[in-house]
Amino acid sequence: MQAAFREHHGLQCGYCTPGTIMPAVDLVRRKGNALDEHTIRHELEGHIRRCTGYHNIVKAIASSAEAMAAEPQKVAAE
């Protein structure tokens, strides 16, 4: 997710970024990897941006969701 935020210019001043990346990872885990723009924007409602809007953040989350689908699931060692 962090790489996608960097790649799609979703990183901002740092004030809100951690509070966006963590819920974005949770969103992918809860809703799956085929996320549309409407779903992402709905889930991000209430996240306050000090620097700009959601456009690049939405692109980053959608891109990361696709990338996460392509990765094999990591299983924690017992």
Side-chain angles (χ1 to χ4, degrees):
M1 189 65 70
Q2 291 173 335
F5 267 65
R6 185 175 53 249
E7 180 180 333
H8 293 280
H9 308 287
L11 298 171
Q12 298 176 359
C13 68
Y15 179 79
C16 58
T17 299
T20 305
I21 289 179
M22 297 305 293
V25 171
D26 179 61
L27 169 63
V28 174
R29 288 186 178 150
R30 285 185 297 108
K31 302 273 185 166
N33 301 90
L35 298 173
D36 61 22
E37 180 177 344
H38 175 76
T39 301
I40 295 169
R41 287 183 180 276
H42 176 73
E43 290 284 330
L44 292 177
E45 282 181 3
H47 288 245
I48 299 171
R49 302 258 111 24
R50 291 175 54 162
C51 301
T52 186
Y54 289 105
H55 183 72
N56 289 339
I57 292 169
V58 171
K59 290 189 327 187
I61 294 171
S63 174
S64 181
E66 290 177 15
M68 290 168 73
E71 292 179 4
Q73 293 295 319
K74 296 178 184 176
V75 179
E78 295 184 62

